[in-house]
Amino acid sequence: SVKFIFQPAEENLGGGALMVKEGCLEEPRPDAIFALHCSPGLKVGQIALHPLPNVGMANFRIDIHGKGGHASSPHSTVDPIVIGSHIVTAAQTIVSRKTRPDRPVVISFCTFRAGSASNIIPETAALLGTLRATDMETLKGLSEMLQKLSSELAAAMDGEVEFTEGETYPPLHNDPDLLGLIRRVGEEVLGSDNVRDRERQVMGSEDFAFYLESQGGVPGVKFSLGVDSPASLHGPHFDFGHEALEPGILMMCNTAVQFLERGASERC
C-alpha cells in the first residue's frame, strides 16, 4: 500500500512535526517515505540528489527596548534603531570568529521593524531572522551566542532586549540506500544525463526532516526536481510550470512501485 501525506504549513510553523505528532506515520507505519522539492536551478526533466544533509534551522526574534523622543534631541533618548543596527553588524562576527570554519553556519536578519515617523525616535524595535547549522549542537550554540551578544550590546547603550527562540527544524539526513533507489529510478525514467549530484552543502532547511529516522520516524529521502522558472524560490514571480508535472509524477510513481517490488521479493 501507498500512503499520501497532505501537509500544510511547511514554512515557519513546522507542519511536518504536527503531522507526525497527530499520527500520520502510524496505522499503518510506512517502511519508507519519499519527497521531492522544486528547484529552479535545474532544467525540466532533471533531478538532483543530496548526499549531504540539509541544515537545521531556528527562528529568532529580538525585541529591543529603548527610550523614545524627538529626532532633534537624540541625547535624551535610547535609540533602539541604533542598538539594532549594531546587533545586526556585530552578529556577523559570530559567523567569522566564533564558529569553526569547517562547519558552515548562517545568521540572517530578515525583518527590522521600528518607528512610524521620520522625526520621532521610537521606543522599541524588533529584529527577526533565522540561524542555520549542520548540527543541532552548533545551532544551539549560535542561539546562545546571539542572545548574549544582543543583550550585552543593548546594555552598553542603556537599552534592553528580549530574545525569543522560535520554531526549530532539525537537519535532514537522506537514507543512503533509498538515495540509491532514487538514482536508479531517475536513470531509468529520465536518463542518466538528467540525474545530478549536489555535492556542496545546502544551507536550506526542510521540515521533511521531522518524518525521518533521526527524529524517531522512518527511512526516507528528499530529492530536487527541475522546474521551468527563471525566478528563485520564495519570490512572487516563482512558477513551477506545468511541464515539470510529468517528470515529477514519473519519479514518484516509479519510486513507489520499485520500492514495493523490492519489498515483495525480499518477503519471498
Side-chain angles (χ1 to χ4, degrees), residues 6-268:
F6 297 89
Q7 180 211 300
E10 176 199 2
E11 300 296 335
N12 298 325
L13 296 177
L18 296 174
M19 294 288 285
V20 173
K21 182 179 179 180
E22 295 185 7
C24 75
L25 293 182
E26 306 302 331
E27 299 180 357
R29 186 171 180 82
D31 294 311
I33 185 168
F34 301 93
L36 61 80
H37 196 293
C38 294
S39 180
L42 298 170
K43 296 179 181 178
V44 172
Q46 293 181 334
I47 62 168
L49 308 180
H50 301 263
L52 294 175
N54 280 68
V55 298
M57 182 276 291
N59 291 324
F60 66 85
R61 177 185 176 114
I62 303 172
D63 287 288
I64 306 164
H65 299 275
K67 179 183 177 184
H70 198 276
S72 63
S73 304
H75 60 284
S76 65
T77 72
V78 176
D79 192 336
I81 295 178
V82 172
I83 294 173
S85 299
H86 277 274
I87 291 172
V88 171
T89 301
Q92 303 313 313
T93 63
I94 295 175
V95 177
S96 64
R97 290 295 180 268
K98 294 291 187 179
T99 62
R100 289 176 49 168
D102 60 336
R103 292 183 181 177
V105 299
V106 172
I107 299 177
S108 289
F109 293 87
C110 302
T111 302
F112 195 143
R113 298 174 184 162
S116 59
S118 62
N119 63 340
I120 299 174
I121 294 172
E123 291 270 347
T124 62
L127 303 171
L128 289 79
T130 69
L131 309 170
R132 297 170 189 269
T134 55
D135 62 271
M136 295 302 289
E137 181 182 357
T138 301
L139 193 64
K140 184 175 183 293
L142 285 178
S143 180
E144 292 171 349
M145 286 186 282
L146 180 59
Q147 183 172 357
K148 182 174 184 290
L149 179 145
S150 58
S151 178
E152 293 181 353
L153 270 176
M157 299 181 216
D158 297 323
E160 296 179 349
V161 299
E162 292 179 61
F163 188 91
T164 305
E165 294 180 326
E167 296 79 11
T168 299
Y169 291 11
L172 186 157
H173 295 270
N174 282 324
D175 182 271
D177 179 50
L178 297 180
L179 201 63
L181 173 63
I182 294 291
R183 181 184 300 279
R184 292 191 296 274
V185 171
E187 290 174 348
E188 289 177 13
V189 302
L190 302 177
S192 57
D193 292 341
N194 290 317
V195 178
R196 306 297 178 88
D197 286 290
R198 290 265 173 88
E199 297 294 347
R200 65 178 180 84
Q201 178 66 62
V202 176
M203 297 306 292
S205 62
E206 175 58 62
D207 83 336
F208 181 66
F210 287 113
Y211 299 106
L212 301 183
E213 277 186 305
S214 61
Q215 302 302 307
V218 299
V221 64
K222 186 207 79 168
F223 63 96
S224 295
L225 177 73
V227 295
D228 184 19
S229 176
S232 63
L233 296 171
H234 300 270
H237 304 294
F238 174 77
D239 184 355
F240 65 87
H242 290 89
E243 291 185 2
L245 289 172
E246 182 178 353
I249 292 169
L250 286 171
M251 282 301 304
M252 295 301 274
C253 289
N254 280 277
T255 296
V257 168
Q258 290 200 26
F259 183 82
L260 291 170
E261 288 178 342
R262 184 175 73 174
S265 64
E266 289 174 354
R267 287 192 294 273
C268 292

